[in-house]
Amino acid sequence: MSLSIRNQLPGTVTAVTRGEVMATVTVRLVGGQDLTAAITLEAAEELGLAPGSAVRALVKSTEVSLATAPVDGLSIRNQLPGAVHEIATGGAMASVKIFVDGADLTAVITRDAVTDLELTAGTPVVALIKSTEVSLATA
């Protein structure tokens, strides 16, 4: 299956915490970072997720925010450090490609944000992704 979602990060499930309706799933990415996905309990069960399951974490590029340093006091569970390696700007928006250990990640942010953050190739950044914006597919 081909998908339009640019960010498809391979990893392995390390933990599944089941709630009444939702589950949080911790995925160890190939580069060693942990990523948390909040998905429905039904989806977790249908996918047969358990520690050791191979998965792909899927994140739309419009759901990736960027910071120039780690952020404290924030409810966003996923903060992946990396570095900018390419920026393509349009009239209002920009596509920023980031290398995080073991993977490439794309963030679509406003052109003004690129300017305000002074992003250029090589700039260290932290990709911020809410756990509710991470989908999982079995590999």
Side-chain angles (χ1 to χ4, degrees):
M1 171 192 309
S2 295
L3 298 172
S4 65
I5 296 175
R6 297 294 80 192
N7 300 312
Q8 300 184 28
L9 309 170
T12 304
V13 173
T14 58
V16 179
T17 304
R18 290 168 167 75
E20 291 180 21
V21 177
M22 300 289 290
T24 57
V25 181
T26 304
V27 176
R28 175 76 36 91
L29 300 177
V30 173
Q33 315 91 319
D34 285 335
L35 186 74
T36 299
I39 63 174
T40 65
L41 181 58
E42 181 179 8
E45 290 172 351
E46 285 178 3
L47 292 171
L49 298 179
S53 298
V55 295
R56 283 199 176 275
L58 309 172
V59 182
K60 290 177 63 175
S61 57
T62 53
E63 300 301 335
V64 179
S65 297
L66 298 178
T68 54
V71 182
D72 291 327
L74 190 65
S75 67
I76 295 175
R77 303 290 6 121
N78 300 306
Q79 296 193 33
L80 302 176
V84 173
H85 68 87
E86 185 180 330
I87 301 171
T89 56
M93 302 298 290
S95 175
V96 181
K97 293 189 180 182
I98 305 138
F99 180 76
V100 297
D101 281 343
D104 285 320
L105 194 62
T106 300
V108 172
I109 61 176
T110 66
R111 184 176 177 168
D112 289 343
V114 170
T115 301
D116 291 348
L117 295 173
E118 300 177 354
L119 300 180
T120 61
T123 302
V125 293
V126 177
L128 306 169
I129 307 165
K130 290 181 65 169
S131 60
T132 53
E133 300 303 330
V134 178
S135 297
L136 297 176
T138 50

